[in-house]
Amino acid sequence: MFSAGEDRLKVEGFISRRGSELSLKYLCMKFGGSLSDKLPKIWHCLVEVLKPCNHEGLTRGDEKLTDKSISSVNDPQILINNIQVVRFIDPSLEISLRQKLLTLLPVLSDVLDILILL
């Protein structure tokens, strides 16, 4: 059983997460396809760990850079949070931005491999 303090923290965490999700959804609806231009920090937050790439024509050196970028994150929770934001924001994005988001898929596969090893 949880103490009253732990219950309160869980409720506060839920409220904070829900507010963040609703805010992101609203911003996606408001700015549509220009979200990444008008609010570049939002896109940067999406890709700060998960760098967009195209695995076609990717050299082994490029793959090593991606692996190094991901493995440089000390706290696996940061990777998990980033994946959750991508998962949540995808249905709210306009089609043109979804194409940009799809460039993260190869990196997500690499992240999942690394998380499994941790």
Side-chain angles (χ1 to χ4, degrees):
M1 199 79 206
F2 294 111
S3 71
E6 289 173 333
D7 283 343
R8 180 180 170 94
L9 285 176
K10 285 176 86 174
V11 169
E12 288 174 356
F14 173 78
I15 291 170
S16 176
R17 179 184 171 128
R18 186 69 179 138
S20 299
E21 289 174 348
L22 290 173
S23 296
L24 279 172
K25 187 175 185 175
Y26 175 77
L27 290 172
C28 289
M29 289 178 358
K30 173 122 175 102
F31 291 104
S34 64
L35 177 76
S36 62
D37 297 329
K38 302 245 181 185
L39 300 172
K41 186 67 176 164
I42 297 277
W43 181 255
H44 174 73
C45 288
L46 286 171
V47 299
E48 69 182 315
V49 176
L50 307 172
K51 304 290 183 207
C53 71
N54 181 357
H55 270 228
E56 293 175 16
L58 205 64
T59 67
R60 186 66 190 140
D62 293 336
E63 288 179 11
K64 285 184 179 182
L65 284 175
T66 300
D67 292 345
K68 185 177 179 181
S69 171
I70 293 168
S71 60
S72 70
V73 177
N74 296 328
D75 184 4
Q77 189 62 48
I78 292 172
L79 293 172
I80 292 167
N81 292 348
N82 204 263
I83 291 169
Q84 288 176 328
V85 170
V86 169
R87 189 187 110 224
F88 176 78
I89 203 170
D90 177 58
S92 303
L93 284 176
E94 205 168 88
I95 297 295
S96 61
L97 290 179
R98 278 194 185 162
Q99 296 303 318
K100 286 176 81 172
L101 198 62
L102 284 175
T103 64
L104 299 175
L105 290 179
V107 181
L108 284 172
S109 173
D110 295 341
V111 168
L112 292 175
D113 290 342
I114 289 171
L115 288 175
I116 289 169
L117 294 174
L118 293 177

